[in-house]
Amino acid sequence: MTLTEKVLARAAGKARVQAGENVWVNADVLMTHDVCGPGTIGVFKREFGPDAKVWDRTKVVIIPDHYIFTADSNSNRNVNLLRQFVKEQGLIYFYDVIDDPNGNWQFDPAKGHFVRQYGSQYAGVCHSALPQKGHTRPGEVLFGTDSHTCTAGAFNEFATGIGNTDAGFVMGTGKLLLKVPETMHFRFEGRLQPGVMAKDIILHIIGEIGFDGATYRAMQFDGPGVASLSMDDRMTIANMAIEAGGKNGIFEFDARTAEYVENRTRLNGTKTTYEPVEPDKDQKFIYELVVDLSKLEPTVACHPDPGQRKLAKELEHIKLDRAYIGSCTGGKTSDFVEFARIIRGRKVVIDTFGVPATPEIVRDLQTTRWGDKSIWQILVEAGVMMTENAGCAACLGGPVDTFGRINKPMKCISATNRNFPGRMGHKESQVFLASPATVAASALTGRITDPREYL
């Protein structure tokens, strides 16, 4: 069996499963957030009764993160609906924006977007927060009401996005009926050259197979090249499996996975036991591709979908209006470090927005010093507009007052994960997806730029 088949067989209580088989799978974690949480709760109460209890209050994780730092009253209300449900159910894992369990969340426009407006429990973007808070464990099944839930496949688990109806059902029963996906195999060899990042790996792969090339398939990443990739790198790659239509992405378990998971589960007091899945020798794949990491170059996905792959050096004629670094894909500490490596001591020439994925990353950037300055200072002095309010921000567009949202037709280069028309705001804007290094170099020139020019 493939890695995905092994996880699903275990979760279904079977000795083995095969692609195409329908199986009832037990969930280890169900995650929802402020955009889909109220709808999921509505389905749950409608189908199981207004006084029903969730199947396991230790396995539901609620993380407000999407439309948080906005004065939009409906968005603020969604967070309050989550808080009310958490109280009714006695849920343990709720990463609220405010500290008062009886309070109401309201964004204060007078304070503005740049300074912190959250309490001590707030965790930021769900896909970055889940691993940071110790909710991603090898061999488990994670369902989330968000397509980029597949990020957690970096930790050797089956992680996939589901809709509100399915999530309402899982909330009540702890189970879901799934068709076992076929598995596509991506074997990594070699190691990345300077200026090339994990984002370039996944953009290359999506360019090879198309933005629908993995529809309802598992994407398995392994091979000797994986050893050189950090957990952040693996999360970036697994995160964008959905950008190829994938059901999930999954990595092999190794010592680096164990070190991260054991550290985070102990730190946060979450479940520390887990059982990884190892690959069988005679796995059956529907597709195989060998990726030589040493031959990859800085890559860009052009408007209007993630499959429109070009090399950055081929696009230097494209003038830009904006640059953006942030999201679960491009807002991790390592992403900002590589971004800072390019722009250190220089000035951006276009509007450039920086949104760390979690409060922990904000602290990392503000306390980690590079010479006599923090990384945060380096970014701000280069002209990057940095917000302390970690979250999804403009990645999903959001209300018009969202930080970094594109409110008129323009060309933006972004370290985010999706570029369909209207994704970051205005439907006539164009978004070019690239690595943090490529975004940084492009912010310095005002046109799409190969970051190797600045190394």
mmCIF file of all heavy atoms in Angstrom, residues 92-120:
data_model
loop_
_atom_site.group_PDB
_atom_site.id
_atom_site.type_symbol
_atom_site.label_atom_id
_atom_site.label_comp_id
_atom_site.label_asym_id
_atom_site.label_seq_id
_atom_site.Cartn_x
_atom_site.Cartn_y
_atom_site.Cartn_z
ATOM 1 N N ILE A 92 -12.023 22.054 24.272
ATOM 2 C CA ILE A 92 -10.735 22.370 24.884
ATOM 3 C C ILE A 92 -9.896 23.276 23.988
ATOM 4 O O ILE A 92 -9.230 24.188 24.465
ATOM 5 C CB ILE A 92 -9.966 21.067 25.191
ATOM 6 C CG1 ILE A 92 -10.724 20.238 26.231
ATOM 7 C CG2 ILE A 92 -8.545 21.362 25.672
ATOM 8 C CD1 ILE A 92 -10.145 18.865 26.456
ATOM 9 N N TYR A 93 -9.942 23.013 22.681
ATOM 10 C CA TYR A 93 -9.014 23.689 21.765
ATOM 11 C C TYR A 93 -9.727 24.757 20.939
ATOM 12 O O TYR A 93 -10.209 24.505 19.834
ATOM 13 C CB TYR A 93 -8.322 22.667 20.866
ATOM 14 C CG TYR A 93 -7.527 21.643 21.647
ATOM 15 C CD1 TYR A 93 -7.875 20.296 21.623
ATOM 16 C CD2 TYR A 93 -6.432 22.037 22.424
ATOM 17 C CE1 TYR A 93 -7.146 19.355 22.341
ATOM 18 C CE2 TYR A 93 -5.704 21.105 23.152
ATOM 19 C CZ TYR A 93 -6.063 19.764 23.112
ATOM 20 O OH TYR A 93 -5.345 18.842 23.824
ATOM 21 N N PHE A 94 -9.805 25.945 21.519
ATOM 22 C CA PHE A 94 -10.362 27.109 20.839
ATOM 23 C C PHE A 94 -9.357 28.247 20.972
ATOM 24 O O PHE A 94 -9.056 28.689 22.081
ATOM 25 C CB PHE A 94 -11.714 27.499 21.454
ATOM 26 C CG PHE A 94 -12.296 28.764 20.876
ATOM 27 C CD1 PHE A 94 -12.334 28.979 19.509
ATOM 28 C CD2 PHE A 94 -12.830 29.744 21.718
ATOM 29 C CE1 PHE A 94 -12.887 30.144 18.979
ATOM 30 C CE2 PHE A 94 -13.387 30.905 21.199
ATOM 31 C CZ PHE A 94 -13.416 31.102 19.820
ATOM 32 N N TYR A 95 -8.832 28.688 19.849
ATOM 33 C CA TYR A 95 -7.777 29.708 19.864
ATOM 34 C C TYR A 95 -8.405 31.068 19.562
ATOM 35 O O TYR A 95 -8.303 31.595 18.449
ATOM 36 C CB TYR A 95 -6.673 29.312 18.880
ATOM 37 C CG TYR A 95 -6.025 28.008 19.301
ATOM 38 C CD1 TYR A 95 -6.422 26.788 18.749
ATOM 39 C CD2 TYR A 95 -5.051 27.988 20.296
ATOM 40 C CE1 TYR A 95 -5.849 25.592 19.159
ATOM 41 C CE2 TYR A 95 -4.468 26.793 20.715
ATOM 42 C CZ TYR A 95 -4.875 25.595 20.145
ATOM 43 O OH TYR A 95 -4.311 24.406 20.569
ATOM 44 N N ASP A 96 -9.051 31.620 20.570
ATOM 45 C CA ASP A 96 -9.877 32.812 20.425
ATOM 46 C C ASP A 96 -9.037 34.057 20.148
ATOM 47 O O ASP A 96 -7.866 34.139 20.508
ATOM 48 C CB ASP A 96 -10.697 33.014 21.715
ATOM 49 C CG ASP A 96 -11.918 33.886 21.516
ATOM 50 O OD1 ASP A 96 -12.091 34.444 20.418
ATOM 51 O OD2 ASP A 96 -12.714 33.996 22.474
ATOM 52 N N VAL A 97 -9.688 35.045 19.525
ATOM 53 C CA VAL A 97 -9.024 36.317 19.241
ATOM 54 C C VAL A 97 -8.896 37.147 20.519
ATOM 55 O O VAL A 97 -7.942 37.901 20.690
ATOM 56 C CB VAL A 97 -9.812 37.124 18.185
ATOM 57 C CG1 VAL A 97 -9.015 38.342 17.730
ATOM 58 C CG2 VAL A 97 -10.156 36.238 16.998
ATOM 59 N N ILE A 98 -9.873 36.993 21.433
ATOM 60 C CA ILE A 98 -9.865 37.750 22.686
ATOM 61 C C ILE A 98 -9.721 36.798 23.864
ATOM 62 O O ILE A 98 -9.970 35.603 23.741
ATOM 63 C CB ILE A 98 -11.148 38.605 22.842
ATOM 64 C CG1 ILE A 98 -12.398 37.714 22.791
ATOM 65 C CG2 ILE A 98 -11.213 39.681 21.775
ATOM 66 C CD1 ILE A 98 -13.705 38.446 23.060
ATOM 67 N N ASP A 99 -9.343 37.333 25.017
ATOM 68 C CA ASP A 99 -9.134 36.498 26.203
ATOM 69 C C ASP A 99 -10.392 36.314 27.049
ATOM 70 O O ASP A 99 -10.472 35.376 27.832
ATOM 71 C CB ASP A 99 -8.022 37.103 27.077
ATOM 72 C CG ASP A 99 -6.647 36.911 26.457
ATOM 73 O OD1 ASP A 99 -6.465 35.929 25.715
ATOM 74 O OD2 ASP A 99 -5.768 37.757 26.706
ATOM 75 N N ASP A 100 -11.354 37.212 26.899
ATOM 76 C CA ASP A 100 -12.572 37.153 27.711
ATOM 77 C C ASP A 100 -13.544 36.127 27.126
ATOM 78 O O ASP A 100 -14.099 36.340 26.047
ATOM 79 C CB ASP A 100 -13.231 38.538 27.743
ATOM 80 C CG ASP A 100 -14.484 38.561 28.613
ATOM 81 O OD1 ASP A 100 -14.843 37.504 29.177
ATOM 82 O OD2 ASP A 100 -15.112 39.643 28.707
ATOM 83 N N PRO A 101 -13.778 34.974 27.831
ATOM 84 C CA PRO A 101 -14.673 33.941 27.284
ATOM 85 C C PRO A 101 -16.117 34.406 27.162
ATOM 86 O O PRO A 101 -16.919 33.777 26.467
ATOM 87 C CB PRO A 101 -14.540 32.789 28.291
ATOM 88 C CG PRO A 101 -14.064 33.430 29.557
ATOM 89 C CD PRO A 101 -13.245 34.610 29.154
ATOM 90 N N ASN A 102 -16.454 35.500 27.829
ATOM 91 C CA ASN A 102 -17.824 36.029 27.751
ATOM 92 C C ASN A 102 -17.895 37.321 26.920
ATOM 93 O O ASN A 102 -18.938 37.969 26.869
ATOM 94 C CB ASN A 102 -18.351 36.318 29.160
ATOM 95 C CG ASN A 102 -18.355 35.071 30.023
ATOM 96 O OD1 ASN A 102 -18.886 34.041 29.620
ATOM 97 N ND2 ASN A 102 -17.727 35.147 31.195
ATOM 98 N N GLY A 103 -16.782 37.670 26.293
ATOM 99 C CA GLY A 103 -16.727 38.939 25.568
ATOM 100 C C GLY A 103 -17.218 38.839 24.138
ATOM 101 O O GLY A 103 -17.681 37.790 23.679
ATOM 102 N N ASN A 104 -17.124 39.949 23.429
ATOM 103 C CA ASN A 104 -17.460 40.008 22.008
ATOM 104 C C ASN A 104 -16.271 40.571 21.256
ATOM 105 O O ASN A 104 -15.663 41.554 21.687
ATOM 106 C CB ASN A 104 -18.679 40.910 21.781
ATOM 107 C CG ASN A 104 -19.965 40.227 22.203
ATOM 108 O OD1 ASN A 104 -20.341 39.203 21.653
ATOM 109 N ND2 ASN A 104 -20.626 40.787 23.205
ATOM 110 N N TRP A 105 -15.954 39.941 20.124
ATOM 111 C CA TRP A 105 -14.828 40.413 19.332
ATOM 112 C C TRP A 105 -15.256 41.575 18.441
ATOM 113 O O TRP A 105 -16.293 41.521 17.782
ATOM 114 C CB TRP A 105 -14.272 39.291 18.461
ATOM 115 C CG TRP A 105 -13.431 39.779 17.310
ATOM 116 C CD1 TRP A 105 -13.660 39.616 15.980
ATOM 117 C CD2 TRP A 105 -12.198 40.532 17.401
ATOM 118 N NE1 TRP A 105 -12.668 40.202 15.222
ATOM 119 C CE2 TRP A 105 -11.756 40.782 16.072
ATOM 120 C CE3 TRP A 105 -11.437 41.028 18.459
ATOM 121 C CZ2 TRP A 105 -10.588 41.496 15.789
ATOM 122 C CZ3 TRP A 105 -10.278 41.747 18.168
ATOM 123 C CH2 TRP A 105 -9.867 41.961 16.855
ATOM 124 N N GLN A 106 -14.453 42.610 18.448
ATOM 125 C CA GLN A 106 -14.693 43.726 17.552
ATOM 126 C C GLN A 106 -13.353 44.338 17.167
ATOM 127 O O GLN A 106 -12.547 44.715 18.023
ATOM 128 C CB GLN A 106 -15.577 44.791 18.216
ATOM 129 C CG GLN A 106 -16.186 45.735 17.193
ATOM 130 C CD GLN A 106 -17.346 46.542 17.801
ATOM 131 O OE1 GLN A 106 -17.595 46.480 19.009
ATOM 132 N NE2 GLN A 106 -18.031 47.288 16.975
ATOM 133 N N PHE A 107 -13.107 44.413 15.871
ATOM 134 C CA PHE A 107 -11.878 45.044 15.378
ATOM 135 C C PHE A 107 -12.000 46.548 15.544
ATOM 136 O O PHE A 107 -13.047 47.132 15.296
ATOM 137 C CB PHE A 107 -11.679 44.688 13.902
ATOM 138 C CG PHE A 107 -10.488 45.351 13.266
ATOM 139 C CD1 PHE A 107 -9.203 44.935 13.573
ATOM 140 C CD2 PHE A 107 -10.653 46.393 12.358
ATOM 141 C CE1 PHE A 107 -8.097 45.537 12.978
ATOM 142 C CE2 PHE A 107 -9.568 46.999 11.764
ATOM 143 C CZ PHE A 107 -8.285 46.567 12.066
ATOM 144 N N ASP A 108 -10.925 47.178 15.975
ATOM 145 C CA ASP A 108 -10.932 48.622 16.197
ATOM 146 C C ASP A 108 -10.178 49.325 15.062
ATOM 147 O O ASP A 108 -8.947 49.340 15.049
ATOM 148 C CB ASP A 108 -10.266 48.935 17.545
ATOM 149 C CG ASP A 108 -10.311 50.428 17.881
ATOM 150 O OD1 ASP A 108 -10.766 51.216 17.029
ATOM 151 O OD2 ASP A 108 -9.879 50.795 18.997
ATOM 152 N N PRO A 109 -10.902 49.917 14.102
ATOM 153 C CA PRO A 109 -10.229 50.581 12.976
ATOM 154 C C PRO A 109 -9.345 51.737 13.425
ATOM 155 O O PRO A 109 -8.358 52.066 12.755
ATOM 156 C CB PRO A 109 -11.386 51.093 12.105
ATOM 157 C CG PRO A 109 -12.603 50.350 12.561
ATOM 158 C CD PRO A 109 -12.367 50.011 14.000
ATOM 159 N N ALA A 110 -9.672 52.354 14.567
ATOM 160 C CA ALA A 110 -8.877 53.497 15.053
ATOM 161 C C ALA A 110 -7.445 53.073 15.405
ATOM 162 O O ALA A 110 -6.503 53.827 15.242
ATOM 163 C CB ALA A 110 -9.555 54.130 16.265
ATOM 164 N N LYS A 111 -7.289 51.843 15.898
ATOM 165 C CA LYS A 111 -5.942 51.333 16.214
ATOM 166 C C LYS A 111 -5.162 50.995 14.948
ATOM 167 O O LYS A 111 -3.936 50.961 14.957
ATOM 168 C CB LYS A 111 -6.052 50.069 17.085
ATOM 169 C CG LYS A 111 -6.376 50.349 18.547
ATOM 170 C CD LYS A 111 -6.297 49.042 19.308
ATOM 171 C CE LYS A 111 -6.670 49.241 20.778
ATOM 172 N NZ LYS A 111 -6.736 47.952 21.492
ATOM 173 N N GLY A 112 -5.909 50.677 13.890
ATOM 174 C CA GLY A 112 -5.274 50.379 12.607
ATOM 175 C C GLY A 112 -4.810 48.946 12.489
ATOM 176 O O GLY A 112 -4.939 48.136 13.410
ATOM 177 N N HIS A 113 -4.248 48.648 11.325
ATOM 178 C CA HIS A 113 -3.850 47.278 11.004
ATOM 179 C C HIS A 113 -2.468 46.902 11.507
ATOM 180 O O HIS A 113 -2.143 45.727 11.598
ATOM 181 C CB HIS A 113 -3.893 47.073 9.482
ATOM 182 C CG HIS A 113 -5.266 46.801 8.954
ATOM 183 N ND1 HIS A 113 -5.921 45.611 9.156
ATOM 184 C CD2 HIS A 113 -6.118 47.577 8.233
ATOM 185 C CE1 HIS A 113 -7.106 45.652 8.585
ATOM 186 N NE2 HIS A 113 -7.252 46.841 8.013
ATOM 187 N N PHE A 114 -1.631 47.880 11.811
ATOM 188 C CA PHE A 114 -0.227 47.561 12.056
ATOM 189 C C PHE A 114 0.046 47.024 13.455
ATOM 190 O O PHE A 114 0.919 46.182 13.644
ATOM 191 C CB PHE A 114 0.642 48.789 11.781
ATOM 192 C CG PHE A 114 0.633 49.189 10.330
ATOM 193 C CD1 PHE A 114 -0.148 50.243 9.894
ATOM 194 C CD2 PHE A 114 1.388 48.485 9.396
ATOM 195 C CE1 PHE A 114 -0.174 50.604 8.553
ATOM 196 C CE2 PHE A 114 1.378 48.836 8.052
ATOM 197 C CZ PHE A 114 0.589 49.902 7.627
ATOM 198 N N VAL A 115 -0.716 47.500 14.452
ATOM 199 C CA VAL A 115 -0.440 47.082 15.828
ATOM 200 C C VAL A 115 -1.374 45.963 16.266
ATOM 201 O O VAL A 115 -2.510 45.861 15.805
ATOM 202 C CB VAL A 115 -0.544 48.266 16.815
ATOM 203 C CG1 VAL A 115 0.493 49.309 16.487
ATOM 204 C CG2 VAL A 115 -1.941 48.863 16.822
ATOM 205 N N ARG A 116 -0.869 45.145 17.157
ATOM 206 C CA ARG A 116 -1.572 43.946 17.616
ATOM 207 C C ARG A 116 -2.966 44.244 18.174
ATOM 208 O O ARG A 116 -3.138 45.141 18.991
ATOM 209 C CB ARG A 116 -0.714 43.289 18.703
ATOM 210 C CG ARG A 116 -1.398 42.195 19.468
ATOM 211 C CD ARG A 116 -0.463 41.580 20.478
ATOM 212 N NE ARG A 116 -1.185 40.684 21.372
ATOM 213 C CZ ARG A 116 -0.624 39.779 22.157
ATOM 214 N NH1 ARG A 116 0.692 39.670 22.168
ATOM 215 N NH2 ARG A 116 -1.345 39.004 22.935
ATOM 216 N N GLN A 117 -3.931 43.449 17.719
ATOM 217 C CA GLN A 117 -5.297 43.561 18.248
ATOM 218 C C GLN A 117 -5.843 42.190 18.642
ATOM 219 O O GLN A 117 -6.993 41.880 18.375
ATOM 220 C CB GLN A 117 -6.222 44.207 17.204
ATOM 221 C CG GLN A 117 -5.999 45.691 16.997
ATOM 222 C CD GLN A 117 -7.252 46.397 16.477
ATOM 223 O OE1 GLN A 117 -8.363 46.173 16.984
ATOM 224 N NE2 GLN A 117 -7.083 47.244 15.486
ATOM 225 N N TYR A 118 -5.053 41.364 19.258
ATOM 226 C CA TYR A 118 -5.527 40.040 19.662
ATOM 227 C C TYR A 118 -5.008 39.700 21.053
ATOM 228 O O TYR A 118 -4.038 40.291 21.533
ATOM 229 C CB TYR A 118 -5.102 38.964 18.667
ATOM 230 C CG TYR A 118 -3.623 38.932 18.354
ATOM 231 C CD1 TYR A 118 -2.713 38.317 19.217
ATOM 232 C CD2 TYR A 118 -3.130 39.529 17.196
ATOM 233 C CE1 TYR A 118 -1.353 38.293 18.935
ATOM 234 C CE2 TYR A 118 -1.768 39.498 16.908
ATOM 235 C CZ TYR A 118 -0.889 38.889 17.768
ATOM 236 O OH TYR A 118 0.449 38.872 17.493
ATOM 237 N N GLY A 119 -5.646 38.714 21.667
ATOM 238 C CA GLY A 119 -5.288 38.297 23.020
ATOM 239 C C GLY A 119 -4.252 37.184 23.042
ATOM 240 O O GLY A 119 -3.659 36.832 22.020
ATOM 241 N N SER A 120 -4.076 36.578 24.194
ATOM 242 C CA SER A 120 -2.981 35.623 24.402
ATOM 243 C C SER A 120 -3.251 34.242 23.809
ATOM 244 O O SER A 120 -2.325 33.450 23.642
ATOM 245 C CB SER A 120 -2.709 35.475 25.904
ATOM 246 O OG SER A 120 -3.859 34.977 26.564
#
